[in-house]
Amino acid sequence: MSRSSQSSLSSQSSKASRSFRSSRRTRVLDAARVRAAVVAALLVPLAACSSGGSSSAPDAKGAPRADDRPVTVNVTPTGERVPAGQPVRVTARGGTLTAVTVTDAKGHRLTGKAAADGRSWVSDRRAAPGTAYAVTAATRTEGGTAKSTRAAFTTAAADKVNKVDWRPGAGATVGIAQPISLVFDNPVRNRAAVEKQLKISTSNGTEGSWGWITDWSGRDRVDWRPKSYWKPGTKVTLDADLNGTDSGKDGGWFVRDYSTSFTIGARQIVKVDLDSHQLTLLRDGAKVRRIPVSGGTPGGDRRSWRGTAVLMAKEGTINMNSETVGLANAYNKMVNHSMRLTWSGMYAHAAPWNARWFGNANHSSGCIGMSDADAAWFYGQVRPGDPFEITGKETKGVVAPGNGFGAWNLSWTEWQQKSALR
């Protein structure tokens, strides 16, 4: 065989070998593709089970079925430093909301309610100023696929902040005439909006009402009093959910909530008869003790107030200066066992310098005076919230609602009319 023939045979053999190897690789690749397709077919139902329970499958082109397309979620407000004072709203299109969580940076939640069709959710409270909120919305498609969507926004800080001073303090035991009283630093124009955020709960369903009045200091104030005196032993809680509420023009925003709980003590009533110059302490309807007293001097501004005054505080030994209550230089002395009844300066207290008038005549500068011994005993018996029911011909009028706790001098109907929600 010639070298030329050998070379030709060798070339043909090499080509055949390469062709064989190429054909073999093709068969191997085809087999691998088949195995991959089988594995993929087996995995499809497993993936569907782990995706939230959907049994729907993609269409022939691999796109989601029409009833299993992603839910579109919209959250308002949105953005940075948006105006406060509006509720958070979440809506869903192409599916339903199964849960919505709105929290601030401190972990406080805004609760809310979903519509019956599950397409929308609105927070119960409004977004507070100067706060960052995170929103998580759990959804379900028409085809049953579950998913979560997250959003965030921040509110602008308050230009002006309103604050509250309230009574009684937390954990106190008070008398049967004690109102719940809130005094505001700044004016409250949106009274109805503020009043809606004030929730009273009692252990026995006590009926009562809020009433807006002007405090002796000139500031806006709202008190809650029962229809009649509290029942002893009643547990009372105030939840003032004011954070995010706008006071209105010149008032500013509330940027926190307030809460207090207290208990009503024994049924004690102090009867003060300025005509007979006697004070009587009643407990559970029975007379405990009768004390001779001297009230305000008849005529002019030194007369006492009449009506129902509520013991505001037991202040002990204090300096009393007549110039602070508009009576020039009538007195300036330290007074023991002082019990405040009005902001205008009427007290019950020890007045040994007036001893000869006790039980005989009214000869004070408006207060109800008694002996040191009687005052010491009486001071130990009463508590803030006890009513002083004062009668007498020679008085200068009825205690006003804002002069201490004078709401009891209005009828129940009159008091109810002072609510901003009536």
Side-chain angles (χ1 to χ4, degrees):
M1 183 179 292
S2 69
R3 291 179 180 177
S4 172
S5 298
Q6 289 177 344
S7 175
S8 176
L9 288 172
S10 174
S11 175
Q12 291 174 4
S13 175
S14 175
K15 289 179 180 179
S17 176
R18 288 196 299 271
S19 175
F20 174 78
R21 287 196 298 272
S22 175
S23 175
R24 184 180 180 184
R25 282 197 301 272
T26 300
R27 289 197 300 271
V28 170
L29 289 171
D30 289 343
R33 290 190 184 100
V34 169
R35 285 196 299 272
V38 171
V39 171
L42 291 173
L43 287 177
V44 166
L46 293 178
C49 289
S50 64
S51 67
S54 173
S55 59
S56 61
D59 61 20
K61 296 181 179 180
R65 283 173 40 172
D67 64 355
D68 207 34
R69 289 172 181 167
V71 180
T72 301
V73 175
N74 185 54
V75 177
T76 56
T78 184
E80 300 292 322
R81 296 182 294 279
V82 300
Q86 56 182 311
V88 180
R89 299 180 185 274
V90 182
T91 58
R93 184 161 52 86
T96 57
L97 297 165
T98 57
V100 175
T101 303
V102 181
T103 57
D104 64 19
K106 295 181 180 179
H108 299 145
R109 293 183 60 177
L110 287 182
T111 60
K113 295 181 179 63
D117 62 3
R119 305 284 181 175
S120 62
W121 180 96
V122 181
S123 64
D124 297 325
R125 300 182 59 181
R126 300 171 186 274
T131 305
Y133 288 99
V135 182
T136 301
T139 60
R140 191 174 298 279
T141 66
E142 302 292 350
T145 300
K147 187 179 178 181
S148 290
T149 300
R150 290 178 173 82
F153 67 92
T154 63
T155 54
D159 292 333
K160 189 174 187 177
V161 173
N162 206 347
K163 297 180 180 180
V164 181
D165 178 29
W166 73 95
R167 295 182 182 223
T173 297
V174 296
I176 59 174
Q178 176 70 51
I180 300 163
S181 184
L182 284 68
V183 181
F184 302 94
D185 281 5
N186 302 323
V188 179
R189 311 298 186 197
N190 297 337
R191 292 184 171 184
V194 169
E195 191 174 328
K196 285 179 181 178
Q197 299 305 117
L198 308 178
K199 312 298 181 186
I200 301 295
S201 56
T202 69
S203 59
N204 54 18
T206 302
E207 181 182 1
S209 176
W210 289 103
W212 290 86
I213 56 179
T214 301
D215 186 64
W216 187 259
S217 65
R219 295 182 293 171
D220 284 342
R221 171 176 149 190
V222 64
D223 285 8
W224 194 95
R225 53 152 277 202
K227 182 177 181 179
S228 54
Y229 289 154
W230 293 101
K231 181 180 178 180
T234 303
K235 306 290 185 182
V236 187
T237 298
L238 161 68
D239 289 308
D241 297 333
L242 291 171
N243 191 17
T245 304
D246 182 9
S247 300
K249 184 180 178 181
D250 301 324
W253 291 87
F254 294 100
V255 296
R256 58 162 291 190
D257 294 335
Y258 300 83
S259 180
T260 187
S261 296
F262 57 95
T263 303
I264 306 303
R267 182 177 178 81
Q268 294 193 146
I269 299 175
V270 181
K271 300 278 191 178
V272 181
D273 186 342
L274 295 178
D275 291 335
S276 64
H277 321 296
Q278 299 290 328
L279 176 154
T280 304
L281 175 62
L282 302 175
R283 184 176 297 139
D284 297 326
K287 183 173 71 174
V288 178
R289 186 165 174 175
R290 193 176 189 187
I291 297 172
V293 297
S294 178
T297 303
D301 291 336
R302 299 182 66 187
R303 291 171 294 171
S304 298
W305 294 103
R306 69 176 183 274
T308 299
V310 177
L311 179 55
M312 300 177 66
K314 296 164 67 174
E315 299 181 4
T317 299
I318 62 173
N319 175 255
M320 290 191 178
N321 187 331
S322 58
E323 292 182 351
T324 64
V325 292
L327 293 178
N329 60 350
Y331 57 85
N332 185 0
K333 60 183 66 179
M334 300 303 293
V335 179
N336 296 325
H337 309 301
S338 298
M339 296 159 273
R340 180 182 283 275
L341 298 176
T342 70
W343 284 126
S344 62
M346 185 168 76
Y347 285 78
H349 61 76
W353 56 87
N354 252 3
R356 63 177 176 149
W357 306 112
F358 300 150
N360 298 316
N362 295 317
H363 206 271
S364 77
S365 294
C367 294
I368 300 166
M370 62 196 83
S371 70
D372 274 326
D374 285 338
W377 177 88
F378 184 64
Y379 190 90
Q381 300 298 311
V382 294
R383 59 167 49 95
D386 285 345
F388 281 58
E389 297 178 350
I390 306 167
T391 59
K393 297 176 183 178
E394 295 294 334
T395 57
K396 58 184 176 183
V398 174
V399 177
N403 187 8
F405 302 134
W408 296 102
N409 296 307
L410 299 179
S411 70
W412 176 236
T413 299
E414 290 172 329
W415 180 251
Q416 287 179 300
Q417 295 306 311
K418 290 188 172 293
S419 167
L421 301 178
R422 295 286 175 177

